[in-house]
């Protein structure tokens, strides 16, 4: 373990977060808010702790092993959550530091689970910071650092540890260029969404302030789900809700698809089975839930209104964004079961969404089918492929191990949260909603209009860890609990 290198990189991460904290400071100056001082104090902490750490010179700058990269990413996410919570705590907008950490972890991991019961009471600058954590966490703080800071060593390990999905590769030969391409696409799509919101103001399709446009775009881009209103997006126009529906679906797609689109590699897009499966699941879920709501009746006034709200909810849940326009905790059980299934499935690998990922389900399905064929034809040799490419045994083993660890963490977390003695629906879906980085569950207590404020301190701690486990795909966080991880090379 290269301890000095890890501490030095943590120092740069702290300075980076301190720099990002200056953005909500500008918002505080615009609105003349006293919370400016709490933000500046947090910046001071980042600089005071981060600057000395950057002065630590690693003995071997060129050596970064896989273990170093995974530990570096895990520690970075814990540290940014701890310091990112300081403005909320210093300003007393959130009096409990544990609650502030929960809110910040939820922000950076793009979960969207909140302990706030009155969102509008928070100053604009803190609402901006709260939403901006989504945007930073969506693509990843370390990926941003790779894009702007020249780094020696095997920095691919940082990208692999922070990017969601069963496998991550470079888009172009240079690691720094790959990270820059990712963030370039990410920024462009965010700006397009803000412009789309503002077009509604120009053409009279739906009023929305520029501040709200920016914050909602941050929440959609990071598939996070923090709104600047207590009722989520229910109070916005149909146009604003529709733009958000499309945006959430787009940010749930693997970003390599957009890279292929820019490079005009349309054949690779057309062959992508994960994209086809992702869109198929969305369309099938919308059709089934719409039919269920129309047959049971009494939820929405017309078929058009039903399709609108169902499309929004399905897009929000499968991409693990967590925005809400309707309280789906009141929907029939059939519809809620479909939504819980979408919680587990999640978005595409290489997107900003959470969940198990569609690509993993494809691999597991093909692997199960191959095993059944092997039982029927024991001597047949079959090569498993996805999109015409052979799936290595390492990917199959890693995917199977992920599912096993996922189930173990979920069951353990459910057992601990059950000590709060809530109903099974609340207990189970609170863990699934945080472990899959979704936010709202399907019970009334933690639904789109609920919050996690009533959970005990122990449960909030467990759910905070679940959010980190889910965002970092389990294994980087698990390494922190192995004593052998901390031994020197």
């Amino acid at each position: 373990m290269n301890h000095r290198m890890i501490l030095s990189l943590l120092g740069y991460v702290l300075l980076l977060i301190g720099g990002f904290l200056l953005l909500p400071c500008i918002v505080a100056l615009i609105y003349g808010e006293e919370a400016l001082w709490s933000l500046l104090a947090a910046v001071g902490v980042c600089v005071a702790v981060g600057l000395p750490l950057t002065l630590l010179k690693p003995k071997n700058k060129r050596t970064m092993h896989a273990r170093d990269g995974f530990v570096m990413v895990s520690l970075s996410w814990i540290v940014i959550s701890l310091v990112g919570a300081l403005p909320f705590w210093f300003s007393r907008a959130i009096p409990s530091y544990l609650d502030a950490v929960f809110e910040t972890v939820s922000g950076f991991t793009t979960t969207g689970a909140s302990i706030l019961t009155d969102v509008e009471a928070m100053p604009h600058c803190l609402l901006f910071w709260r939403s901006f954590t989504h945007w930073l966490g969506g693509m990843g703080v370390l990926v941003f650092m790779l894009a702007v800071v020249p780094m020696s060593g095997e920095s691919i390990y940082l990208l692999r540890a922070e990017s969601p999905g069963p496998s991550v590769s470079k888009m172009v030969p240079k690691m720094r260029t790959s990270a820059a391409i990712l963030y370039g696409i990410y920024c462009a799509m965010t700006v397009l969404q803000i412009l789309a919101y503002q077009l509604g103001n120009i053409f009279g399709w739906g009023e929305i302030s520029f501040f709200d446009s920016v914050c909602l775009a941050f929440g959609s881009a990071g598939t996070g789900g923090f709104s600047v209103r207590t009722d989520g997006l229910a109070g916005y126009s149909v146009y604003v809700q529709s733009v958000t529906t499309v945006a959430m679906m787009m940010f749930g797609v693997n970003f390599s698809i957009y890279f292929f689109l820019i490079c005009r590699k349309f054949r690779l897009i057309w062959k992508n089975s994960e994209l086809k499966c992702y869109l198929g699941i969305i369309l099938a879920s919308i059709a089934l839930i719409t039919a269920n709501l129309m047959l049971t009746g009494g939820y929405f006034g017309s078929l058009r209104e039903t399709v609108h709200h169902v499309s929004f909810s399905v897009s929000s849940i499968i991409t693990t964004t967590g925005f809400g326009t309707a309280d789906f905790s009141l929907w029939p059980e059939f519809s809620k079961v479909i939504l819980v299934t979408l919680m587990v499935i999640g978005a595409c690998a290489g997107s900003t969404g959470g969940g198990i990922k569609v690509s993993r389900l494809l691999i597991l399905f093909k692997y199960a089918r191959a095993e059944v064929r092997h039982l029927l034809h024991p001597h047949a040799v079959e090569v498993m492929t996805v999109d015409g490419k052979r799936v290595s045994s390492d990917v199959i083993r890693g995917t199977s191990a992920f599912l096993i660890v996922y189930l173990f963490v979920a069951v353990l977390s459910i057992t601990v949260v059950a000590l709060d003695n809530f109903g099974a629906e609340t207990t189970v879906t609170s863990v699934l909603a945080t472990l899959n980085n979704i936010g709202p569950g399907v019970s009334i207590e933690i639904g789109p209009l609920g919050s996690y404020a009533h959970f005990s301190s122990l449960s909030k701690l467990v759910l905070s860890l679940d959010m980190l486990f889910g965002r970092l795909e389990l294994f980087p966080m698990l390494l922190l609990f192995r004593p052998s991880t901390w031994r020197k090379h």
Side-chain angles (χ1 to χ4, degrees):
M1 177 68 65
N2 197 330
H3 297 95
R4 292 176 69 88
M5 180 183 65
I6 291 174
L7 289 174
S8 177
L9 289 175
L10 282 176
Y12 283 109
V13 169
L14 281 169
L15 292 180
L16 190 63
I17 295 300
F20 283 132
L21 278 166
L22 295 176
L23 293 177
C25 287
I26 297 172
V27 177
L29 287 172
I30 293 172
Y31 286 95
E33 295 171 333
E34 292 184 3
L36 170 65
W37 301 109
S38 63
L39 289 163
L40 291 175
V43 172
V45 171
C46 290
V47 174
V49 179
L51 191 58
L53 290 177
T54 60
L55 300 178
L56 292 174
K57 300 300 179 184
K59 294 180 180 179
N60 190 345
K61 294 183 180 180
R62 301 180 63 183
T63 303
M64 177 184 286
H65 298 279
R67 179 173 58 170
D68 298 325
F70 292 141
V71 170
M72 170 63 198
V73 169
S74 299
L75 290 179
S76 294
W77 279 75
I78 293 172
V79 168
I80 64 176
S81 298
L82 294 176
V83 299
L86 293 178
F88 300 117
W89 188 47
F90 286 161
S91 65
R92 311 310 291 171
I94 302 179
S96 167
Y97 182 63
L98 178 60
D99 284 352
V101 170
F102 181 94
E103 196 79 11
T104 309
V105 171
S106 181
F108 278 118
T109 59
T110 72
T111 303
S114 179
I115 52 84
L116 298 178
T117 55
D118 186 6
V119 176
E120 287 93 337
M122 187 167 285
H124 288 82
C125 59
L126 295 184
L127 285 176
F128 179 89
W129 174 241
R130 182 170 172 262
S131 295
F132 190 55
T133 56
H134 276 338
W135 193 84
L136 285 175
M139 189 58 66
V141 178
L142 273 296
V143 175
F144 182 88
M145 195 165 75
L146 289 176
V148 298
V149 179
M151 296 181 65
S152 57
E154 297 296 326
S155 53
I156 182 65
Y157 294 127
L158 297 179
L159 183 63
R160 285 177 178 169
E162 196 173 46
S163 299
S167 62
V168 175
S169 59
K170 303 175 184 178
M171 289 183 176
V172 293
K174 290 186 177 180
M175 186 69 257
R176 187 181 177 188
T177 306
S178 292
I181 289 172
L182 283 172
Y183 254 100
I185 296 171
Y186 191 49
C187 290
M189 291 176 65
T190 305
V191 171
L192 285 175
Q193 186 179 350
I194 295 172
L195 293 175
Y197 283 140
Q198 292 303 299
L199 280 177
N201 292 335
I202 296 172
F203 294 102
W205 296 330
E207 292 293 325
I208 181 173
S209 69
F210 183 74
F211 177 81
D212 285 20
S213 296
V214 171
C215 290
L216 293 186
F218 286 160
S220 302
T223 60
F226 277 156
S227 177
V228 292
R229 297 183 182 180
T230 304
D231 65 352
L233 271 74
Y236 291 98
S237 67
V238 172
Y239 172 77
V240 170
Q241 294 171 357
S242 300
V243 168
T244 309
T245 300
V246 175
M248 290 187 294
M249 288 185 189
M250 291 179 66
F251 282 106
V253 173
N254 191 323
F255 272 67
S256 64
I257 295 294
Y258 301 120
F259 179 69
F260 296 150
L261 189 62
I262 294 170
C263 297
R264 298 184 179 181
K265 297 180 179 180
F266 303 116
R267 184 169 169 271
L268 292 176
I269 298 173
W270 178 252
K271 287 176 57 179
N272 192 280
S273 56
E274 183 186 31
L275 178 62
K276 294 177 183 178
C277 188
Y278 169 72
L279 295 176
I281 291 171
I282 289 175
L283 293 174
S285 299
I286 292 172
L288 289 171
I289 295 177
T290 299
N292 184 226
L293 293 181
M294 292 300 294
L295 289 173
T296 52
Y299 292 96
F300 301 103
S302 64
L303 175 60
R304 181 178 180 180
E305 189 180 356
T306 303
V307 172
H308 169 74
H309 288 291
V310 170
S311 299
F312 186 98
S313 298
V314 167
S315 178
S316 178
I317 294 300
I318 194 171
T319 60
T320 71
T321 305
F323 279 142
T325 58
D327 191 356
F328 47 71
S329 65
L330 302 176
W331 290 359
E333 290 302 315
F334 178 78
S335 296
K336 289 198 287 187
V337 167
I338 293 176
L339 291 178
V340 171
T341 304
L342 296 179
M343 285 183 181
V344 177
I345 294 173
C348 299
S351 71
T352 58
I356 290 178
K357 303 294 183 301
V358 175
S359 60
R360 282 198 179 93
L361 291 180
L362 279 172
I363 292 171
L364 289 171
F365 175 77
K366 287 177 175 286
Y367 181 57
R369 187 176 63 179
E371 285 298 304
V372 171
R373 288 179 178 174
H374 182 70
L375 290 174
L376 297 175
H377 309 285
H379 301 292
V381 178
E382 184 175 347
V383 177
M384 199 174 106
T385 61
V386 174
D387 298 336
K389 296 181 180 179
R390 181 178 178 273
V391 180
S392 68
S393 58
D394 289 340
V395 172
I396 297 173
R397 185 180 67 250
T399 302
S400 302
F402 176 89
L403 184 61
I404 293 170
V405 176
Y406 176 90
L407 292 173
F408 173 77
V409 172
V411 171
L412 182 62
S413 300
I414 290 170
T415 304
V416 176
V417 175
L419 293 172
D420 281 359
N421 206 29
F422 295 121
E425 192 175 50
T426 299
T427 301
V428 173
T429 61
S430 66
V431 171
L432 292 179
T434 50
L435 185 58
N436 294 301
N437 303 133
I438 296 164
V442 297
S443 68
I444 295 176
E445 292 85 354
I446 56 172
L449 302 180
S451 78
Y452 287 74
H454 52 285
F455 281 83
S456 66
S457 297
L458 176 61
S459 292
K460 288 175 183 174
L461 180 61
V462 170
L463 295 175
S464 296
L465 287 173
D466 282 341
M467 289 187 267
L468 289 168
F469 269 100
R471 175 59 181 83
L472 299 181
E473 306 267 280
L474 302 174
F475 294 108
M477 285 292 294
L478 281 178
L479 284 177
L480 298 181
F481 297 94
R482 287 179 56 88
S484 60
T485 299
W486 304 99
R487 296 171 190 161
K488 292 184 178 181
H489 294 306

